[in-house]
């Protein structure tokens, strides 16, 4: 239950004045649907309107506030495109106010000839004469003080005016300041004193009304405090969820190793050093009576699946069951395809459960799962459903878990109250960021590729050379190889993505003939699978896709990947995509097609991806080129986005918040002391409701 104190901040943004039906969607887009979203929508700059020169003193290019007498209106001749001009002056000279598209009545009302007005805006010189186009403010002289200020500049979205955003943010701030009057301080007073940080209310006030340019820097004390609030809330939530999973007594699972030995003997390769090390770490965790909570991080193709399988065998050897959960149906099916032969070799019954299983067959499967006949289950979110029960779930493997929320992680592990949890991710997360997203989860890294991998040749080329690309595809097809053609995300719209992919699909069919397939996010799972199956088998050589193929898909015959508008993708995303090829024995090429002109950073990014295949190097470069906030904050990754913290500027705060969170929970694990209760408010403020519920239910 969210504390009543915070209710005003969690009203819809529509409850604020000036947010009517027309602009509400724009505010949703700009900040979010709630009042609190506008509270976190902080200015990124200031306009200093305090300078009040005479016309003669006004400097070109500078924002100034002037008091002028309105002399004469000079509307453009009818049907002319010329602007509407108004001559205005003080005792030192004349300045022309310039308006494009202005109605005469309105202008006369706003700037009545013979009267004085205070105007504020940027002064420019045109033909040696001072002018001001579209002043930001025009007010009666009695209101001069109201505009002669330092004005915050908020990030904008098309369709909203700075004035509206300013007003709405002001109301959100006013509500928050009311809340701040009664809200308890959740930060440690000694930390506040040592850092010189203001209280919450004062920090918000200072952040929304920056006194100068320095005050909008992430290093300004008010900004640091707010960022710290957010980081602390995140870290607390992570630790709470983790403690919850850990604190339940686990079970020591060892197993005699006979299944593992047989499986290893049956593999057509030997494990890499990194795989062996990871497996030892996992086995050691599982042998402990506490719960395992371990992240298996390895670049695409580093061989996570076989490690996961061997970990599952440990659970099986100890008599328990194992589950593997994937974020999408395609991936679940692929895992099933990989694991089924291994399971068969081990004489283990394995099954697949997705949202598509219904009726009698599903019931039968659930019964076999409940009585332990099915020992390994692979599936999607469908594994969470209430009627899915296990006889004894010993290990949960979660693939590509950045797509799952914390709640979901809790959900599946609840199916096996003492189950160990192994999370696999291919996202090579730079070390500093691991902390943010996984707390202090234990990590095994597969930092070594299996031998014999073919390096991928990566070429960067302009869209003007598309015919060369088509020729390359024709050559690959003639040699019996397969081709991925990836279409970019078009803005933030799935429909537009789809349209781009569809039209490219039509084009390619025309030039390449019928053996072209299409998959995109909007397709029904069954249709997607059918296309994927054709691509993996016979009947389809070129797969046009949106980023749905990003993770996990495995078609060894695919040797060419074309990525259109490569400049629009994140580096890590390009790397993940490219990992779909180079999986067979043939040489593979990745063609990054860009649409110029490219900016400095875009060029640099494509160069990085061309020059290295090392996921960690790419992640570090990505971090350097884009900044931490963005690396994981993309829509695709589903990683939490910080509203106030800027991981580039606030890395040290992250470390402190992490240590602080650990200490807090060591002293008061249920957040029941005075500070603990204040911290609950903080958790709710940052919408970490699930974490608070977790402490509550104990
Ligand atoms: P990831 O899931 O980490 O992207 P996979 O587990 O899908 O990687 O492995 C990619 C391919 O490499 C699979 O075909 C797998 O059988 C193979 N592989 C895994 N480990 C090794 C190894 N030690 N030596 C050779 N090939 C391996
Ligand atoms: Mg994989």
């Amino acid at each position: 239950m969210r504390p009543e104190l915070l209710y005003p901040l969690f009203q819809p943004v529509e409850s604020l004045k000036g947010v009517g039906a027309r602009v509400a969607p724009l505010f949703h887009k700009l900040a979010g649907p709630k009042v609190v979203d506008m509270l976190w929508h902080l200015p990124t700059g200031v306009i200093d309107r305090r300078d009040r020169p005479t016309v003669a003193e006004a400097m070109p290019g500078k924002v100034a506030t002037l008091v002028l007498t309105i002399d004469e209106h000079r509307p453009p001749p009818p049907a002319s495109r010329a602007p509407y001009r108004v001559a205005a002056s003080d005792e030192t000279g004349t300045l022309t106010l310039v308006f494009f598209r202005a109605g005469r009545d309105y202008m006369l009302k706003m700037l009545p000839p013979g009267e004085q007005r205070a105007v504020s805006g940027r002064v420019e010189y045109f033909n040696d004469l001072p002018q001001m186009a579209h002043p930001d403010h025009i007010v009666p002289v009695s209101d001069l003080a109201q505009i002669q200020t330092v004005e915050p500049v908020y990030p904008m979205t098309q369709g909203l005016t700075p004035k509206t955003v300013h007003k709405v943010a002001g109301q959100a701030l006013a509500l928050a300041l009311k809340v701040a009057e009664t809200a308890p301080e959740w930060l440690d007073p000694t930390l506040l004193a040592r850092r010189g940080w203001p209280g919450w209310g004062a920090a918000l006030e200072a952040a929304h009304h920056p006194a100068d340019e320095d005050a909008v820097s992430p290093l300004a004390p008010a900004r640091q405090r707010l960022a710290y609030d957010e980081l602390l809330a995140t870290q607390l939530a992570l630790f709470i969820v983790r403690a919850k999973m850990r604190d339940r007594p686990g079970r020591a699972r060892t197993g005699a190793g006979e299944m593992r030995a047989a499986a290893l003997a049956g593999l057509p390769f030997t494990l890499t050093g990194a795989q062996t090390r990871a497996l030892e770490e996992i086995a050691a965790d599982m042998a402990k009576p506490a719960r395992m909570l371990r992240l298996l991080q390895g670049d695409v193709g580093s061989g996570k699946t076989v490690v996961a399988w061997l970990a599952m065998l440990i659970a099986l050897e100890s008599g328990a069951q194992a589950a593997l959960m994937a974020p999408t149906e395609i991936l679940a099916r692929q895992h099933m395809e990989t694991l089924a032969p291994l399971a068969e070799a081990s004489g283990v019954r394995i099954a697949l459960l997705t949202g598509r299983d219904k009726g009698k067959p599903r019931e039968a499967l659930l019964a076999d799962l409940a009585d332990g006949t099915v020992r390994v289950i692979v599936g999607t979110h469908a594994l969470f459903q209430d009627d899915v029960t296990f006889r004894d779930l010993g290990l949960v493997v979660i693939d590509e878990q950045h797509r799952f929320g914390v709640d979901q992680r809790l959900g599946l592990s609840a199916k096996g109250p003492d189950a160990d949890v192994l999370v696999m991710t291919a996202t090579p997360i730079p070390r500093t960021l691991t902390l943010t997203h996984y707390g202090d989860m234990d990590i095994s890294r597969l930092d070594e590729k299996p031998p014999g991998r073919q390096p991928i040749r990566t070429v960067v080329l302009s869209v003007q050379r598309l015919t060369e690309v088509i020729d390359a595809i024709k050559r690959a097809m003639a040699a019996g190889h397969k081709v991925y053609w990836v279409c970019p995300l078009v803005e933030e719209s799935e429909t537009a993505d789809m349209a781009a992919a569809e039209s490219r699909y039509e084009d390619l069919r025309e030039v390449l003939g019928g053996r072209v397939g299409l998959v995109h996010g909007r397709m029904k799972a069954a249709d997607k699978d059918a296309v994927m199956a054709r691509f993996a088998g016979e009947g389809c050589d070129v797969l046009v896709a949106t980023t749905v193929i990003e993770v996990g898909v495995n078609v060894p015959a695919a040797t060419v990947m074309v990525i259109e508008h490569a400049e629009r993708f994140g580096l890590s995303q390009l790397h993940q995509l490219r990992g779909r090829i180079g999986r067979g024995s043939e040489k593979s090429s990745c063609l990054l097609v860009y649409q110029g002109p490219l900016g400095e950073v875009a060029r640099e990014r494509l160069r990085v991806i061309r020059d290295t295949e090392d996921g960690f190097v790419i992640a570090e470069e990505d971090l350097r080129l884009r900044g931490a906030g963005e690396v994981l904050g993309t829509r695709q990754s589903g990683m939490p986005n910080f509203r106030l913290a800027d991981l580039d500027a606030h890395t040290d705060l992250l470390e402190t918040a992490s240590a602080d969170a650990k200490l807090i929970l060591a002293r008061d694990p249920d957040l029941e002391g005075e500070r603990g209760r204040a911290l609950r408010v903080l958790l709710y403020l940052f919408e970490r409701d699930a974490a608070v519920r977790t402490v509550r239910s104990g």
Side-chain angles (χ1 to χ4, degrees), residues 52-57 67-69 71 88-94 116:
R52 192 164 101 55
T54 60
V55 169
E57 290 162 347
V67 172
L68 302 170
T69 303
D71 298 326
S89 62
D90 62 12
E91 60 291 349
T92 68
T94 292
Q116 275 199 325

Side-chain angles (χ1 to χ4, degrees), residues 459-464 466 469 485-491 496-497 500-501 503-504 545 547 561-571 573-574 577 591-598 602 605-606 609:
V459 187
V460 176
L461 71 185
S462 150
V463 70
Q464 279 153 4
L466 210 56
V469 174
W485 186 294
V486 182
C487 296
L489 296 171
V490 180
E491 302 206 317
D497 290 357
S503 85
R504 184 54 80 197
T547 46
M561 173 169 286
V562 179
I563 303 181
E564 248 192 289
H565 279 295
E567 78 280 2
R568 292 191 193 160
F569 289 90
L571 274 192
Q573 211 182 358
L574 287 173
L577 285 167
L591 309 177
L592 301 176
V593 181
Y594 67 85
Q595 173 119 53
L598 289 183
R605 293 173 62 224
L606 293 179
I609 204 88

Side-chain angles (χ1 to χ4, degrees), residues 269-272 275 299-306 450-451 453 583:
F269 49 76
T270 50
L271 296 187
T272 63
Q275 284 171 317
D299 211 349
V300 281
S302 59
K304 294 182 291 295
T305 315
V306 69
R453 278 288 147 77
R583 306 194 139 223

